[in-house]
Amino acid sequence: MTLPDGRRKRAVACSFCRKRKIKCDQEAPCGNCRRSGHENCAYENNQPLSQTQLDESQTTIPESIPMSQDSTPLGRTPSVSEWTFPYPSGSPVTPSTGTGVCTNLMTCHNAELMALRAKTGQLEYRNRTLEERIRQLEGQLSEQTPAPIQGLSLDLEMIMGGILDIPRERDSPSQCKGIICCVVDNARFFGQSHWAVNGILLISDIFETIEAHLRESPSSPLSPWSGLERCKFLARIIKARRISSMSSLPTPGLPPKEVADKLVDCYLRTTEAIYRILHVPTFLRDYEALWVSDTTANTAFLAQVKLVLAIGATTYDKNFSLRTSAVQWIHESQVWSLEPKLKSQLNIQSLQTNLILLLARERVGVDGASIWISMGALIRQAICMGLHRDPVPLPQNTVLVVEMHRRLWNTVLELALQSSLTSEGPPLISFWDYNTRPPRNFNDDQLLADDPVPSPVDTFTQTSIARALRKTFPQRHIVVKFLNDLASPGTYKETLWFDEELRVAYRDISQTLKACSSSSTQSSPSQFEMQVVDFLMHRYLSALHVPYFGPALHERACNFSRTAVVESSLKIWRAVHSYSDAASDCGDLQQLAICSSGFYRTVTIHAALQIAMELRAQLQNEEGLSPITLRPDLLAVLDEVKDWCLKIHEAGETNVKGYLLMSLVAAQIDGLRRGLGKDEIAKLLIQTVEKVGEKCLPILEDMAAAQDQGTDQVSCEGMEEELDFLSEFKFDSQGNVDVMSWMYDEINTGSPSVW
């Protein structure tokens, strides 16, 4: 018999006869099975259906088959156990094989069986036709070019200084289109949580305006950038001097004890209060022993102490006067950690030192671009030590060992998630990789007692902040995975769902900490601890909505994301900038954002940039006849951020690109508010570039003059640097400089910060 698609119908035979390629009489059991004594005479895929049921199966598509992944978080495909396969109602057939099928076949005549095969062939033919049509439509859709994002230049190869691939994803027609899911250049992948993907790229039109005006101007195209050229030259000299004389191993030399004590206190009240790494009483005991004259310093502990001092130096004073010493201490500890002694490094002290080293590198800006890469090795070290397994089943462990075990693993999770968010990489660990419980509510001195009892939940202890953040870890983890996973970006529906979950977790953690503050006990969260928790949670809220922020500036479909980003950014900025110029009023978080590198500074500058983008979009999209009224609290950020950037340079930062960036955006907004034309705004932007060079150059000159190097070496290095400087610029066919490739060269080198 021939099927509608031209194929021959396969003859009906039991599995025994088909295997031996002999004719089957289609009985149940068949004659061949009876004669050979074969008991399991089964017919494969021959389950009888009535004619009415066959007609229904050709015209309806069961709703129980999953047709879309939109309903599953993170675009997850349902597992096999979640699938439901429909069978016509009233059918006695079950999806099994064996003797039950033979029994069913006994109720059918051969003619009815042949009709069943014919109908099945027709259904398969129709399915193949439908699949072919779907493939054709998918091919046509893939050939269509997505609509460009308004306000975002697509000529990013010129801006980024490399060959780029910018995948865009369309959502449903009622949602934002043109979402940028990643940016790929010659040597680096940038996920959605990276500032370059959803922040810097939105202002590419500013540099295009400058370049276009310079091409048309008869003056030299390099003249506006000469001041910045000199700034970059001085920055290289300053950074080279800071690492010019590094020791190979940690030396016994420490700063004076009164200075060291203050540095240790700075570390304990800031970093250790959030990320529990050390058992403070034990550390202070060994630290005090270093100052005993007849005590020989242990190299491993000395390296740990110097890293603590390096982190403490970031909040020691407002000018980061110990920056050079901090860099040297970090380099000494790095050399020690690279010594070939793997087995001896698999211990608690070594893991503590590596965690502090990771934080010190980011805070001081020593090789901060590879923090996420180094975090992968640190996770594996913790797993090799068994920290991913809860220690309770081991009866020989003391309470101190158990709680330090849990605290360190909790810190590993927190830093892994934070590095993933900062470095746009997927999270390096999942919930199925560990079963270690959160640390219990103990103060450090309680762990030295026999059989201590944890404090109540509403009692604030030295682990309360770490415990509170751990409660929000699942929600924050799924946000980072949603942003940086291979399947990103997801749908806007999922974004709103994750937003709700994250806000619920944020509300719970706020209530917990408020209860600790209002309790009758003497201990309560410090202002720094409350600000950091607020800072972190708003960072994750902002990161969740930032992919939709750019399109939402020109579309209404994702207006909620626009509002969420602006409000979270404003709260982040206020947490960092809510202080006066008096040194006594400058809090630890504000000091950390000014003097340290990495997470806190990058998040702050990104928040200010998003606020500026909101103001610019309001001016560009103005439709009424009357002047638009801008929010005063948002406008105030534009003036505050420039002064804040100058404070960063006064604290020793050499990269002026952050100050340049915010100055250009503020100048463009000022031009739009004054109603200037395109050429006038271009001139204003060029004047801003010149003023930035004039403002930053004296700061860097004073910084270079304060270093302990001779002027002869400076002059010699200067001649060599100036000869090579023009090689950094890229020129087009007309001989004009591509200033944007210089602006974004740090992206190509992998720096996680605009600085």
Side-chain angles (χ1 to χ4, degrees), residues 38 41 90 110 120 200 214 216 331 351 387 437 488 649 678:
H38 187 68
C41 182
N110 290 338
T120 304
I200 300 299
L214 291 176
E216 298 173 359
H331 276 278
L351 182 63
L387 296 188
R437 300 175 185 176
S488 64
H649 295 306
K678 184 176 181 181

Side-chain angles (χ1 to χ4, degrees), residues 223-290:
S223 57
W225 303 92
S226 58
L228 295 178
E229 175 182 346
R230 178 63 181 169
C231 288
K232 188 166 186 177
F233 156 66
L234 286 175
R236 288 185 171 180
I237 295 178
I238 294 169
K239 289 187 290 186
R241 288 175 177 174
R242 287 173 179 170
I243 59 175
S244 59
S245 57
M246 294 299 154
S247 302
S248 57
L249 285 174
T251 60
L254 291 172
K257 190 174 187 302
E258 58 273 13
V259 176
D261 289 346
K262 292 181 180 179
L263 295 178
V264 171
D265 179 67
C266 289
Y267 168 83
L268 293 179
R269 73 169 186 262
T270 56
T271 302
E272 187 65 30
I274 306 300
Y275 312 104
R276 292 313 318 270
I277 301 175
L278 302 173
H279 182 244
V280 177
T282 303
F283 174 81
L284 292 179
R285 180 199 63 197
D286 296 339
Y287 166 76
E288 292 295 336
L290 290 177

Side-chain angles (χ1 to χ4, degrees), residues 51-61 88-89:
Q51 184 64 34
T52 303
Q53 295 164 348
L54 277 171
D55 294 339
E56 291 176 355
S57 65
Q58 296 181 40
T59 57
T60 62
I61 298 177
S89 58

Side-chain angles (χ1 to χ4, degrees), residues 28 64 323 345 484 536:
S64 56
R323 181 188 291 269
Q345 287 189 347
N484 294 334
L536 288 173

Side-chain angles (χ1 to χ4, degrees), residues 479-673:
V479 166
V480 177
K481 186 174 179 62
F482 178 69
L483 291 172
N484 294 334
D485 208 8
L486 185 63
S488 64
T491 65
Y492 193 55
K493 181 179 178 181
E494 292 171 338
T495 299
L496 298 180
W497 185 81
F498 294 139
D499 173 88
E500 182 180 359
E501 293 295 315
L502 192 58
R503 290 182 187 275
V504 170
Y506 181 34
R507 184 165 56 250
D508 292 342
I509 191 177
S510 299
Q511 293 174 354
T512 300
L513 294 179
K514 287 179 181 178
C516 293
S517 300
S518 60
S519 63
S520 59
T521 58
Q522 295 180 353
S523 299
S524 61
S526 66
Q527 183 182 8
F528 171 79
E529 292 167 334
M530 299 287 280
Q531 287 178 333
V532 167
V533 171
D534 194 61
F535 187 97
L536 288 173
M537 296 304 297
H538 280 292
R539 169 53 182 151
Y540 284 89
L541 279 169
S542 176
L544 177 62
H545 289 280
V546 155
Y548 292 93
F549 178 67
L553 294 175
H554 309 281
E555 301 179 13
R556 297 185 180 273
C558 303
N559 236 5
F560 178 75
S561 290
R562 178 176 179 177
T563 302
V565 169
V566 172
E567 295 304 321
S568 291
S569 298
L570 185 60
K571 290 180 180 179
I572 289 173
W573 175 254
R574 285 296 164 224
V576 170
H577 198 265
S578 57
Y579 66 95
S580 67
D581 291 334
S584 59
D585 295 331
C586 185
D588 287 328
L589 178 60
Q590 294 80 22
Q591 191 71 27
L592 198 60
I594 290 176
C595 295
S596 73
S597 302
F599 180 74
Y600 292 102
R601 182 190 295 180
T602 303
V603 172
T604 304
I605 194 70
H606 197 190
L609 179 62
Q610 289 162 347
I611 292 173
M613 292 297 97
E614 168 67 19
L615 293 172
R616 188 182 72 165
Q618 292 182 20
L619 292 170
Q620 290 177 335
N621 299 335
E622 180 183 0
E623 297 178 354
L625 297 177
S626 58
I628 187 172
T629 303
L630 300 176
R631 288 175 52 178
D633 55 345
L634 299 184
L635 279 173
V637 175
L638 292 181
D639 294 328
E640 294 170 351
V641 70
K642 291 190 291 184
D643 294 336
W644 180 75
C645 290
L646 288 177
K647 289 180 181 295
I648 291 175
H649 295 306
E650 292 171 356
E653 177 57 52
T654 60
N655 193 334
V656 303
K657 294 177 185 177
Y659 180 57
L660 171 66
L661 186 68
M662 296 309 306
S663 298
L664 287 173
V665 176
Q668 185 187 39
I669 293 174
D670 180 58
L672 292 173
R673 292 182 67 190

